[in-house]
PDB file of all heavy atoms in Angstrom:
ATOM      1  N   LEU A 126     106.708-146.594 -85.394  1.00 94.00           N
ATOM      2  CA  LEU A 126     105.547-145.801 -85.006  1.00 94.00           C
ATOM      3  C   LEU A 126     105.575-145.644 -83.494  1.00 94.00           C
ATOM      4  O   LEU A 126     106.032-146.539 -82.780  1.00 94.00           O
ATOM      5  CB  LEU A 126     104.248-146.516 -85.411  1.00 94.00           C
ATOM      6  CG  LEU A 126     104.031-146.786 -86.887  1.00 94.00           C
ATOM      7  CD1 LEU A 126     102.747-147.597 -87.084  1.00 94.00           C
ATOM      8  CD2 LEU A 126     103.964-145.483 -87.670  1.00 94.00           C
ATOM      9  N   LEU A 127     105.065-144.536 -83.033  1.00 96.00           N
ATOM     10  CA  LEU A 127     104.897-144.324 -81.597  1.00 96.00           C
ATOM     11  C   LEU A 127     103.438-144.600 -81.263  1.00 96.00           C
ATOM     12  O   LEU A 127     102.541-144.201 -82.009  1.00 96.00           O
ATOM     13  CB  LEU A 127     105.268-142.892 -81.224  1.00 96.00           C
ATOM     14  CG  LEU A 127     106.725-142.522 -81.442  1.00 96.00           C
ATOM     15  CD1 LEU A 127     106.929-141.018 -81.300  1.00 96.00           C
ATOM     16  CD2 LEU A 127     107.624-143.270 -80.469  1.00 96.00           C
ATOM     17  N   ALA A 128     103.219-145.301 -80.164  1.00 96.00           N
ATOM     18  CA  ALA A 128     101.857-145.654 -79.743  1.00 96.00           C
ATOM     19  C   ALA A 128     101.769-145.560 -78.226  1.00 96.00           C
ATOM     20  O   ALA A 128     102.755-145.840 -77.524  1.00 96.00           O
ATOM     21  CB  ALA A 128     101.520-147.063 -80.202  1.00 96.00           C
ATOM     22  N   PRO A 129     100.599-145.180 -77.705  1.00 96.00           N
ATOM     23  CA  PRO A 129     100.457-145.122 -76.242  1.00 96.00           C
ATOM     24  C   PRO A 129     100.431-146.531 -75.655  1.00 96.00           C
ATOM     25  O   PRO A 129      99.896-147.459 -76.261  1.00 96.00           O
ATOM     26  CB  PRO A 129      99.108-144.417 -76.044  1.00 96.00           C
ATOM     27  CG  PRO A 129      98.355-144.645 -77.312  1.00 96.00           C
ATOM     28  CD  PRO A 129      99.372-144.779 -78.394  1.00 96.00           C
ATOM     29  N   THR A 130     101.025-146.685 -74.478  1.00 96.00           N
ATOM     30  CA  THR A 130     100.956-147.954 -73.740  1.00 96.00           C
ATOM     31  C   THR A 130      99.693-147.921 -72.873  1.00 96.00           C
ATOM     32  O   THR A 130      99.008-146.885 -72.777  1.00 96.00           O
ATOM     33  CB  THR A 130     102.181-148.109 -72.830  1.00 96.00           C
ATOM     34  OG1 THR A 130     102.166-147.036 -71.868  1.00 96.00           O
ATOM     35  CG2 THR A 130     103.479-148.105 -73.625  1.00 96.00           C
ATOM     36  N   SER A 131      99.410-149.021 -72.216  1.00 96.00           N
ATOM     37  CA  SER A 131      98.252-149.036 -71.307  1.00 96.00           C
ATOM     38  C   SER A 131      98.473-148.027 -70.172  1.00 96.00           C
ATOM     39  O   SER A 131      97.537-147.351 -69.749  1.00 96.00           O
ATOM     40  CB  SER A 131      97.990-150.433 -70.766  1.00 96.00           C
ATOM     41  OG  SER A 131      99.125-150.932 -70.109  1.00 96.00           O
ATOM     42  N   GLU A 132      99.716-147.887 -69.708  1.00 93.00           N
ATOM     43  CA  GLU A 132     100.018-146.876 -68.688  1.00 93.00           C
ATOM     44  C   GLU A 132      99.840-145.472 -69.262  1.00 93.00           C
ATOM     45  O   GLU A 132      99.347-144.570 -68.589  1.00 93.00           O
ATOM     46  CB  GLU A 132     101.436-147.064 -68.145  1.00 93.00           C
ATOM     47  CG  GLU A 132     101.870-146.021 -67.124  1.00 93.00           C
ATOM     48  CD  GLU A 132     101.070-146.030 -65.820  1.00 93.00           C
ATOM     49  OE1 GLU A 132     100.210-146.895 -65.615  1.00 93.00           O
ATOM     50  OE2 GLU A 132     101.324-145.129 -65.002  1.00 93.00           O
ATOM     51  N   GLY A 133     100.224-145.282 -70.520  1.00 93.00           N
ATOM     52  CA  GLY A 133     100.009-143.996 -71.188  1.00 93.00           C
ATOM     53  C   GLY A 133      98.534-143.654 -71.279  1.00 93.00           C
ATOM     54  O   GLY A 133      98.137-142.508 -71.039  1.00 93.00           O
ATOM     55  N   LEU A 134      97.715-144.648 -71.597  1.00 94.00           N
ATOM     56  CA  LEU A 134      96.265-144.419 -71.648  1.00 94.00           C
ATOM     57  C   LEU A 134      95.718-144.071 -70.266  1.00 94.00           C
ATOM     58  O   LEU A 134      94.870-143.191 -70.131  1.00 94.00           O
ATOM     59  CB  LEU A 134      95.549-145.652 -72.215  1.00 94.00           C
ATOM     60  CG  LEU A 134      95.824-145.951 -73.683  1.00 94.00           C
ATOM     61  CD1 LEU A 134      95.252-147.299 -74.076  1.00 94.00           C
ATOM     62  CD2 LEU A 134      95.276-144.850 -74.569  1.00 94.00           C
ATOM     63  N   ARG A 135      96.221-144.739 -69.234  1.00 92.00           N
ATOM     64  CA  ARG A 135      95.780-144.444 -67.866  1.00 92.00           C
ATOM     65  C   ARG A 135      96.142-143.012 -67.470  1.00 92.00           C
ATOM     66  O   ARG A 135      95.313-142.267 -66.951  1.00 92.00           O
ATOM     67  CB  ARG A 135      96.407-145.438 -66.871  1.00 92.00           C
ATOM     68  CG  ARG A 135      95.854-145.270 -65.446  1.00 92.00           C
ATOM     69  CD  ARG A 135      96.740-145.948 -64.416  1.00 92.00           C
ATOM     70  NE  ARG A 135      98.051-145.323 -64.275  1.00 92.00           N
ATOM     71  CZ  ARG A 135      98.281-144.151 -63.666  1.00 92.00           C
ATOM     72  NH1 ARG A 135      97.296-143.461 -63.146  1.00 92.00           N
ATOM     73  NH2 ARG A 135      99.520-143.673 -63.571  1.00 92.00           N
ATOM     74  N   VAL A 136      97.386-142.610 -67.754  1.00 88.00           N
ATOM     75  CA  VAL A 136      97.847-141.254 -67.427  1.00 88.00           C
ATOM     76  C   VAL A 136      97.048-140.224 -68.233  1.00 88.00           C
ATOM     77  O   VAL A 136      96.631-139.191 -67.697  1.00 88.00           O
ATOM     78  CB  VAL A 136      99.364-141.118 -67.674  1.00 88.00           C
ATOM     79  CG1 VAL A 136      99.820-139.663 -67.649  1.00 88.00           C
ATOM     80  CG2 VAL A 136     100.129-141.938 -66.651  1.00 88.00           C
ATOM     81  N   PHE A 137      96.817-140.519 -69.499  1.00 89.00           N
ATOM     82  CA  PHE A 137      96.023-139.621 -70.336  1.00 89.00           C
ATOM     83  C   PHE A 137      94.632-139.434 -69.728  1.00 89.00           C
ATOM     84  O   PHE A 137      94.153-138.298 -69.607  1.00 89.00           O
ATOM     85  CB  PHE A 137      95.900-140.183 -71.758  1.00 89.00           C
ATOM     86  CG  PHE A 137      94.915-139.442 -72.606  1.00 89.00           C
ATOM     87  CD1 PHE A 137      95.269-138.248 -73.210  1.00 89.00           C
ATOM     88  CD2 PHE A 137      93.625-139.923 -72.769  1.00 89.00           C
ATOM     89  CE1 PHE A 137      94.343-137.540 -73.982  1.00 89.00           C
ATOM     90  CE2 PHE A 137      92.701-139.220 -73.530  1.00 89.00           C
ATOM     91  CZ  PHE A 137      93.060-138.035 -74.133  1.00 89.00           C
TER      92      PHE A 137
END
Side-chain angles (χ1 to χ4, degrees):
L126 299 176
L127 296 169
T130 62
S131 57
E132 177 64 5
L134 293 171
R135 186 197 67 74
V136 167
F137 170 81

